[in-house]
Structures are given as structure tokens and as C-alpha cells.
Amino acid sequence: MTTLLDSRSFLRWCWRQLTSMRTALILLLLLGIAAIPGSLFPQRTQNPLQVKQYFIDNPSLAPWLDRFSFFEVYSSPWFSAVYLLLFISLIGCVLPRSIEHAKAIGAKPPLTPKYLDRLDHFTEIKKIDLDLAEKYLKRKGFRIRRETNSISAEKGYARESGNLLFHLSLVLVLIGVGIGSLLGSRGDAILNVGDRFINTPTSYDILGFGKFQAEDSLSPFSITVKDFQAQYDSVTNAPIDYTLTVSTANPVGSAENIKIIKVNKPLAYGNTKIYLQATGYSPIVIIKDKQGKVVFEGPTPFLPQDSNLSSIGAIKVPDMDPQIGFVGSFLPTADRDPVRGGFSSYPEVLDPRLLFSIWKGDLGLDSGVPQSVYRIDTSKLERIGLKALVLNESFDFGEGSITFTGWNSWVNLQIVSDPGKIYALVGAILAISGLLISLFTRQRRIWVKQGRKTEIAGLSKNEIPGLDEEIRDLVKELTGER
Amino acid sequence: MSDRSAALLSNNFIYAAIVIYALAFLAHAVEVAWSVKTPAVLVKKTKLDFSKTERLGRLGSAFMVIGTLLLLAGVIFRGISADRVPWGNMYEFSITGALVFSIAYLYALKKYQMRWLGLPAAIAILLTLGTAVTLLYRPSAPLVPALKSPWLVIHVSAAIISGGVFLLANFIAATYLILDRYEQKGARPIWMQKFPTLESLDNFSYRLIALVFPLWTFSVIAGAIWAEAAWGRYWGWDPKETWAFITWVAYAAYLHARVTIGWRGRKAAWLCLLAGSTFLFNYVYINVWGTGKHTYSGL
């Protein structure tokens, strides 16, 4: 029996500790500290390649960091523990206060203290009628407790209302974030100009679903890339504007609409939005075998490496015997430098070059191990040639020939469904409203009491100035100086 | 006016502002030094005689006003040269930030007689402008596509104003700590006689933070709304976002410590400095050495 009581009182003690302001403050500071490592170490969710590189650069340290989730800080157990404890503490703190506050709104202000002369703003004036003071304070929006000999008035309850609104809204933001990660999806698709995309899981290059998101819940639209225009600054080479023109139908097969997508103007279908995230070039080649039969024809997306869009990529031709792979780079505006060799000096296609090495052997496409589309593992291949082609030039590499016939632009569309973000937004707006109300509302009490003379005093519950003036006005009104 | 001549004009205004701020710095420095030299014997007998330094101090304030006007012109012409708000890279953030800080100082000067802050304020502005023109300068250029949004004006202006005021609060907190140290040892030194009381310093830095914390909150939210439109997610723990969050948390902790727990004075001032340094770290380190989506056009 005693143990039961003990454990119960222990639990109560724990709860009191957790919901104490001091603990909440420590948790708040801890949350800030816990967020730091995520900005110092590369994170898998943002930059998986950098994480891999970190493992290569720091082979002994990286596994240990990984064991403690330093590459996934924001979904790590310790980060989650801090913010969940903080929110429990917050709710434990705010809920009782909300109930108390609701009661206080209905209740009358507390009784007038016995000795007003010990309080701030104490003033004595000639004896006046209390009704006059009551009427004035009521007109000014004070809540009033009238006793026979005194008035106790309070104003500024909105401060606590705002304060509670702010904290409760933060819970709503957290709920919004939670819904987004459990019920949302996010995927990328790389499309050449001319390609058609239908919103089903197999059309994506990468696709991630939330824990409770069904795979067949994707919005059934189609997108055809009609045109892509990029504009660059001729002095700094920096991009100025991207315009993507698409033809869409929702659902697939219904009437097509022409839509423009820009970097800050995604295309929206309900909760699903389609973003233009990246762009690059796809060189177009025709590859023929020894007999002159076309074995490959079309654009291959290359990955940009710098701001002038020097791009690298791989063209894989599994239909030849032996299989052939081209490891290449595409230079939209080719230039030469004795140190760097070939490079691109402008992001637009003015003088394109396709540079590549040719490899013969098993490309490993049938092994089942997923491969990067931009790279070829050449460790088991034999190099049979090296060449740079200008536009419309051909090269005979013995096993066949390759012709560089043109280029195309590709765009990376990111398709995101986030049903939680509206809650997060509403939560954020309510939170900032609550914050403004709580920081800029003055909460104060004014007492008027009949003694030998009429006594007035006030108390400001937060440190915003203004009560002085208010009491001066009251005195003026009561003494009829106005 | 052509873009290039506007850019040139902007540069000249900024250089002129630097010269004037340097004069303000000199005036305030001499003002302070003169007070230090006042013979201690004299001090004991009479009240401090600031009449000699008074004119220098006023001259310093006048230079601060002129410098601010020149800087304002520099920022405006920078905007005209690029045909947009001048908040596209770190050079432009820095000159605008220095302008906001300068205006906040002048406001404090007028409203609260904060001339004692003139010397540190002049130093801070000179350092900011100096780094801006030497290390951070980039030719005026159009914005990259991701920055082309009305949210640029909303998000960045809120961030810059918050930053300027946070910095001012930091200066006051630091002054508090220095002054507190002297008063612990005995009396405050002569040159600090004219500084406000510890309590009013404490209150002033609190008031600044309470005033600007909602604006910082708004800046983060506006950034999130913009990120949702430009990058496909409203929050992605990008390094800049992370540190904005850390700054927010630190100032929230400051406000709670002060209002709810009742921290005053030294503890509150240290917490204020800590919070302010997270903002500076975010601005300097993440912009220059960090990675992530907030890096544009070199810097």
C-alpha cells in the first residue's frame, strides 16, 4: 500500500517537475542546442551524397556519429525526446492555466487590499462619490468589483488569453508538421522537353511516402513538358529566369490545359504542388552498331556540375554485343584552358561539345544492384576510345559509331503532397497573433477606496508603461479638473 | 539614369557615409577620452563637468545623422541600380543592416538620451560597412529566379530590422555587464558616469527584445511561407533555417526567463548576449562558410 502511494506521489512529483517553468526553460535551451549538430554535419534528408562523402573522408568517426543519429538529427530519438518533453511540459503548463483563466474571466477582480498607501501610484483626493469612479472605470472597459466602501477594477485579461493562444497554437503547428510527415508524399521526376509524366509511383525517379499514406492516393494528373526557357545574365552568368510551359490534364485523359511553372510559382492540384527544382541539358546522340543499325537514339539527362552547366553523365547501350557505355561530359559553351582543360564558359548552349570515353563489357544493368543513371562503374570494363564531338560530328569506335545530333533541356519536377501544411500555417498565424496580444497588452488593476479621503492606487502586472497616465486621467475626471 | 551610374553613385554614397561615421567615431572617442582625463580631485569636489565634451558629443551625434542619411542614399541607389529591393546578397544585407542599426540608435538617442552608446554604435557601423565594401562587395546584378518573389521584401526586411534591433540590445546588455563589473568593484569610472543606471539598461534591452521578438517570429514564418512556394517545403532544416530557429528559441528562453522566472540583470544580460550571438553566427558563419539553400550569387 505504501509503495503504491509512494510511486503515485513520485509520479506526481515527476509531473510537477516536468511542468515547472524551470524545466520548460531548460528544455527550451536544450532544444536549441540539440538543433545545432544538424547544421554542422551533412543530413541524409537534404544531402545524402555529402553524407556518403563524409563516411569516405572520416571512416572511423562517421559510424560512431551515425550510431547517435548525427546524420538524421531532426528525426533522431534524442531530438524527438527533447521536443516531445517540451511539448508535454508546455501542455501540462498551459492547460491548467487555461482553465484558471477561463474561470478568472467569469470571476470578479480580487478584493481591494487593506492599505493602498503601500502600493504604486498611490494618490489621495478629496472625498468623491464612488459611483462616479465606477461609471468612469466601466466606461473604460474595466471589470469591476464594487464593495460598499471600495472599487477593485482590472483590465487586460487579453494578455493571458494571448499568451495561452500563442502556446496552444504551437501545438497546432506541431500537429501540422506531424500530419505532413505521416500523410504526405514527396517525389522527383526528371523529364526532357517533350516527355509526358503520369502521376503514378512508377513514373518517379525518387518517391517517398509518409507512414500512413497509401501508394494509390496520388492525385491522377498528367503533365507534358512543352517548352523550357532559361535566361542568364550576360555579365555574371547567373540565371535570371526559368519558364516551364506544360500541358496538364487532371485526371489523365481529360481536357489538356497549358500552364506555366516558375521557380516561385508551382502548379497546384489541391494539396499536391508541382515545383520546378532543377534543370540541365540532355545531349542527343544516335548510336549505330557495326551493321549500321540504330541501337540507341535520343536525349540522356546529364548532371550539371557548376554554374556554367558543365555536365557529366553516362550513355548506356545494353542492346549492343558486347555492351557499350559512354562516360561523358557536356559543355554548353566549350572553352579551353591550359590548366583546367575543357570547360564551359557560359550556361547557354552557344558552342556545344560532347566529350566521352567509350567502355566495352558488361555494364552490370542486369545485376539487380541499383545504379546511378549519371555514372557507370568502369572497374570491370575495357576502355576502347576517347573523343570530343562538335555538333553533327560522328565517330567510329570500331564496335559501331556515335553521332552527336543535338541537345534538349531537362527539368526536375518535384511533386509534393502535404495535407498538414494548412494546419501549420493557421497555427503559425494564431501563434503570432497571440504573441502580439500578450506582449503588447497591459494588464493592470486600479483600486479606489473611501477613507478619510478617497484613495486611489494601481498595479501594473507587466512592465509596459501607461498606468501612470491612466491614473492621472482618473484623478482628473473624479476631481472635475477636466 | 543608367544602372551603372546608379551603382557608382551608391558606392560613392557608401564611401562618404564611412568617412562621416569615422568622424563621428573620432568625435565620440575624444568625448569619452576627455572625460577620462578629467582630474579625479576635481570630480570629488564638484559634479562632473561635461561642458567641454558636450559640444564634441553633439558634433558626434550630428555626424551620425549625416552618416545615416548618406547611407540611406547609398542603399536606395543600390536598389535603383538593380531595379529591385537591395537585399539580394550579403553586401546588400550588410549595408541595409547597418542602416537599420543606425536608425535604431538615432531613435534611442532622441527618445532615451542614449548618446553614451554613440562610440560603440559608430564602431559597429564602421566594422559592418568596412567588411561590406572590402570583403563582401559584389557588382549590382539581377536576382536569381528563387529570389524573385514579393516575399523577398517581406521576409528579408523583417529579418534585417530584427537583426539591427537584436544587435542594439546586445550592445546594451554588454554595456550592462561592463558597468556592473565596475560597480561591483566600487564605483563606475568617470567616463561611464553619464551612462544610465543598471536597472534602466536592463529594462531597455528587455524592451527592445520584447518589441522585436514578434517581428523575428514573423520573419521566420514569412520565410517558411516563401520556402513552401520556392523550394517545395515550408521547413527543411536548412542551416540558415536551423539557426533562425535556434535564435528564436534562445530569445523565447530569454523572455520566459525574464517574465516568468524573473531573471534580471546579469543572468538576463548573459542570456541576451547568447541569443544575439546565435543571430550573428547565423549571419556570418552560415552565409560565408555554410552550405544550404540560402547561399546565392557568391555571397
Side-chain angles (χ1 to χ4, degrees), chain A residues 55-195:
Chain A
F55 269 81
I56 294 166
D57 296 344
N58 306 281
S60 53
L61 183 63
W64 277 100
L65 289 174
D66 201 21
R67 212 157 289 171
F68 293 102
S69 308
F70 272 77
F71 301 113
E72 284 142 348
V73 166
Y74 305 107
S75 52
S76 68
W78 43 272
F79 189 78
S80 313
V82 173
Y83 78 76
L84 286 177
L85 278 176
L86 180 63
F87 269 91
I88 292 172
S89 160
L90 187 153
I91 293 168
C93 207
V94 167
L95 274 188
R97 271 178 78 166
S98 302
I99 295 165
E100 223 168 88
H101 182 58
K103 280 184 193 156
I105 286 180
K108 285 179 175 175
L111 281 169
T112 310
K114 222 167 191 179
Y115 302 105
L116 287 189
D117 53 347
R118 288 177 193 170
L119 292 162
D120 296 341
H121 310 281
F122 176 71
T123 322
E124 272 185 319
I125 53 171
K126 66 173 201 282
K127 210 154 184 171
I128 50 102
D129 189 358
L130 274 186
D131 287 346
L132 210 65
E134 186 181 347
K135 228 164 86 191
Y136 175 80
L137 287 169
K138 250 189 191 150
R139 199 171 69 229
K140 292 281 171 187
F142 279 81
R143 277 159 208 284
I144 307 246
R145 176 198 280 261
R146 174 75 192 261
E147 306 284 321
T148 40
N149 247 340
S150 69
I151 296 172
S152 169
E154 183 160 9
K155 194 178 168 181
Y157 286 75
R159 176 175 161 245
E160 178 72 353
S161 312
N163 184 16
L164 296 170
L165 175 67
F166 169 72
H167 286 93
L168 290 173
S169 306
L170 292 182
V171 179
L172 185 61
V173 173
L174 186 70
I175 290 172
V177 173
I179 292 176
S181 71
L182 292 177
L183 295 174
S185 67
R186 170 183 303 272
D188 287 271
I190 289 179
L191 303 174
N192 286 304
V193 172
D195 284 356

Side-chain angles (χ1 to χ4, degrees), chain B residues 204-276:
Chain B
F204 191 52
S205 68
Y206 162 67
R207 217 163 276 165
L208 284 175
I209 291 170
L211 184 78
V212 92
F213 181 72
L215 187 66
W216 179 246
T217 311
F218 171 75
S219 172
V220 173
I221 293 171
I225 295 173
W226 186 10
E228 195 275 328
W231 300 332
R233 84 288 186 291
Y234 57 88
W235 196 265
W237 297 106
D238 175 80
K240 179 128 292 193
E241 290 171 353
T242 303
W243 280 90
F245 172 75
I246 292 170
T247 302
W248 189 83
V249 162
Y251 278 112
Y254 171 88
L255 289 176
H256 280 103
R258 220 191 128 99
V259 177
T260 319
I261 301 186
W263 282 19
R264 287 285 184 282
R266 223 174 299 161
K267 271 157 116 188
W270 278 114
L271 194 51
C272 171
L273 281 185
L274 175 83

Side-chain angles (χ1 to χ4, degrees), chain A residues 21-22 25 28 32 35-36 39 46 74 167 186 233 239-240 263-264 266 273 275 277 414 418 421 432 435 439 463, chain B residues 142 144-146 148 203 210 214 217-218 226 228-234 236-237 242-243 249 253 256 260-261 264:
Chain A
M21 198 54 225
R22 213 163 275 276
L25 189 65
L28 196 58
I36 294 175
S39 73
Q46 295 151 4
Y74 305 107
H167 286 93
R186 170 183 303 272
D233 187 80
I240 295 174
V263 172
N264 269 300
K273 281 192 174 178
Y275 297 88
Q277 285 296 38
Q414 189 170 58
D418 186 347
K421 70 186 169 198
I432 200 165
L435 189 61
L439 284 175
E463 292 163 27
Chain B
V144 297
K148 282 199 180 127
N203 274 328
T217 311
F218 171 75
W226 186 10
E228 195 275 328
W231 300 332
R233 84 288 186 291
Y234 57 88
W237 297 106
T242 303
W243 280 90
V249 162
H256 280 103
T260 319
I261 301 186
R264 287 285 184 282

Side-chain angles (χ1 to χ4, degrees), chain A residues 266-278:
Chain A
L267 178 64
Y269 281 126
N271 276 331
T272 306
K273 281 192 174 178
I274 298 133
Y275 297 88
L276 172 61
Q277 285 296 38

Side-chain angles (χ1 to χ4, degrees), chain A residues 374 382 466:
Chain A
Y374 305 110
E382 179 198 345

Side-chain angles (χ1 to χ4, degrees), chain A residues 433-452:
Chain A
S433 318
L435 189 61
L436 286 170
I437 294 169
S438 77
L439 284 175
F440 297 113
T441 306
R442 293 188 295 127
Q443 189 172 12
R444 67 273 193 200
R445 288 185 188 147
I446 292 179
W447 294 284
V448 185
K449 194 173 178 187
Q450 299 289 40
R452 262 184 318 106

Side-chain angles (χ1 to χ4, degrees), chain B residues 123-297:
Chain B
I123 294 173
I125 294 167
L126 278 173
L127 282 177
T128 311
L129 289 180
T131 11
V133 296
T134 51
L135 298 177
L136 305 173
Y137 185 77
R138 292 288 177 281
S140 190
L143 293 172
V144 297
L147 290 182
K148 282 199 180 127
S149 162
W151 288 104
L152 174 68
V153 181
I154 300 164
H155 165 62
V156 181
S157 63
I160 291 179
I161 294 171
S162 315
V165 178
F166 282 150
L167 200 62
L168 190 63
N170 253 21
F171 267 105
I172 292 167
T175 312
Y176 178 95
L177 289 171
I178 295 168
L179 202 55
D180 181 55
R181 197 114 192 209
Y182 277 118
E183 291 200 347
Q184 291 281 310
K185 279 190 205 154
R188 45 171 79 182
I190 299 155
W191 63 276
M192 284 181 125
Q193 296 283 345
K194 272 176 80 179
F195 283 29
T197 61
L198 282 176
E199 199 194 345
S200 60
L201 284 174
D202 187 39
N203 274 328
F204 191 52
S205 68
Y206 162 67
R207 217 163 276 165
L208 284 175
I209 291 170
L211 184 78
V212 92
F213 181 72
L215 187 66
W216 179 246
T217 311
F218 171 75
S219 172
V220 173
I221 293 171
I225 295 173
W226 186 10
E228 195 275 328
W231 300 332
R233 84 288 186 291
Y234 57 88
W235 196 265
W237 297 106
D238 175 80
K240 179 128 292 193
E241 290 171 353
T242 303
W243 280 90
F245 172 75
I246 292 170
T247 302
W248 189 83
V249 162
Y251 278 112
Y254 171 88
L255 289 176
H256 280 103
R258 220 191 128 99
V259 177
T260 319
I261 301 186
W263 282 19
R264 287 285 184 282
R266 223 174 299 161
K267 271 157 116 188
W270 278 114
L271 194 51
C272 171
L273 281 185
L274 175 83
S277 53
T278 64
F279 181 89
L280 274 182
F281 179 84
N282 195 0
Y283 183 62
V284 177
Y285 181 82
I286 301 296
N287 275 31
V288 178
W289 291 282
T291 54
K293 285 173 170 287
H294 276 84
T295 47
Y296 302 109
S297 60

